[in-house]
Amino acid sequence: MATLQLLNNITHKDLRVQSHYSATFGDNISSVLVFPTEFDALHKEYPVLFRRHAEQGIQAIALLGLCAGENLYLNEHYPQPPVAGSWMARYVPGLLAKGPFMIGYQQQSGASEAVLHVDMDHPRITHPISDTEKDTGKPVFLPKGGESDYLQHIVAILNRLHLGQQEAKAFYAELDRLNLLTPVNLAITLSNGDKLEIQGHETICKDTFAALPADTLAMLHQKGWLAYVYAIQSSLHNLSWLIDMKNALEHSRS
């Protein structure tokens, strides 16, 4: 159960947050919701697919693993980690990177104003019980009350997500209107012979996209959406990296 508090530099002057990634913090998930404003960074690291949610409609996800409850980007899974750091990619999807913070709204002079909230029950929150533990995690505020570099980084992530949420509905609706989405079922054979299937997702249909008239392509380009389509198509090449990581993980367990 989340305990949300309006973030301020008095109540939370000593607040620190663990910024590494671990199954301990709930990061061991096979996919995460992502937004169009992230596609440029995501397509270099993750397969990006779509799913249809009964209530939420079309959503984009970054694939993190090939089995339920598996995040292959967590370095802690590997006996001999191939890269430094706790996450095996240069960009971490925003919903994971933001940690315990989120944008909320409060009424100011009759208008709704975006404000920053923190979930004090989030597992990344450090609750100091001694002077030594006080130094663990990233400080949210500076000693004199200013925002730390970490908090400024979080604010930038939240702004990116906020803009992405606003753009997502219109972009996905346009993809649907143009019949650009097609079901994709991934059949994977690992090096040890195990067979995996990932179903229930959609991607851009290459043939439908190639047949779009020039004026439609111009409209997508004008809105900035053509680049998103190319990024989504390009992202599927990252599936081979996921398979390589899965093979390495299974080999380490054998």
Side-chain angles (χ1 to χ4, degrees):
M1 188 72 178
T3 301
L4 296 181
Q5 296 181 1
L6 183 64
L7 186 71
N8 68 81
N9 61 3
I10 299 175
T11 305
H12 305 110
K13 62 184 178 65
D14 296 322
L15 184 66
R16 287 177 177 263
V17 178
Q18 299 290 345
S19 60
H20 64 282
Y21 300 93
S22 170
T24 304
F25 301 141
D27 297 329
N28 206 25
I29 53 178
S30 59
S31 66
V32 61
L33 198 65
V34 294
F35 301 96
T37 45
E38 300 183 272
F39 287 170
D40 182 58
L42 289 165
H43 87 276
K44 303 167 187 175
E45 311 280 355
Y46 312 90
V48 177
L49 300 169
F50 294 96
R51 66 187 180 196
R52 292 181 186 266
H53 190 276
E55 297 178 357
Q56 305 298 329
I58 299 172
Q59 298 176 318
I61 61 103
L63 197 62
L64 306 178
L66 302 179
C67 299
E70 171 187 78
N71 184 346
L72 293 169
Y73 292 86
L74 289 181
N75 223 357
E76 66 187 13
H77 289 323
Y78 304 88
Q80 295 180 328
V83 298
S86 58
W87 191 273
M88 292 172 52
R90 292 161 294 184
Y91 178 81
V92 180
L95 282 183
L96 291 176
K98 73 178 184 62
F101 301 97
M102 61 194 69
I103 292 177
Y105 295 90
Q106 66 179 13
Q107 293 296 316
Q108 292 283 355
S109 302
S112 183
E113 180 182 342
V115 290
L116 197 59
H117 284 78
V118 59
D119 174 11
M120 295 302 294
D121 285 337
H122 196 282
R124 291 187 185 279
I125 294 289
T126 296
H127 297 282
I129 58 175
S130 71
D131 290 339
T132 55
E133 290 187 3
K134 205 173 214 180
D135 294 328
T136 64
K138 298 278 190 180
V140 176
F141 292 105
L142 300 175
K144 293 186 178 180
E147 294 182 354
S148 67
D149 290 344
Y150 171 70
L151 181 56
Q152 291 177 3
H153 173 63
I154 292 299
V155 170
I157 291 172
L158 289 172
N159 284 334
R160 189 175 200 176
L161 293 178
H162 181 62
L163 293 174
Q165 287 177 311
Q166 292 179 324
E167 188 173 17
K169 186 174 182 180
F171 174 51
Y172 301 161
E174 188 65 17
L175 292 180
D176 214 25
R177 186 186 73 82
L178 295 172
N179 296 314
L180 280 176
L181 297 180
T182 186
V184 57
N185 294 319
L186 304 176
I188 299 164
T189 301
L190 301 179
S191 57
N192 64 3
D194 288 351
K195 297 183 183 298
L196 305 174
E197 285 193 19
I198 299 175
Q199 300 179 334
H201 296 88
E202 300 180 33
T203 189
I204 301 293
C205 178
K206 291 182 179 180
D207 292 339
T208 304
F209 178 63
L212 289 179
D215 59 340
T216 300
L217 292 173
M219 177 273 294
L220 291 173
H221 175 68
Q222 184 179 23
K223 291 180 176 288
W225 294 347
L226 190 59
Y228 294 162
V229 173
Y230 286 135
I232 293 162
Q233 290 179 317
S234 172
S235 77
L236 296 184
H237 294 294
N238 294 311
L239 183 61
S240 62
W241 187 29
L242 269 182
I243 295 172
D244 287 345
M245 289 194 290
K246 179 67 171 176
N247 281 329
L249 183 59
E250 294 302 318
H251 178 73
S252 71
R253 291 170 173 171
S254 61

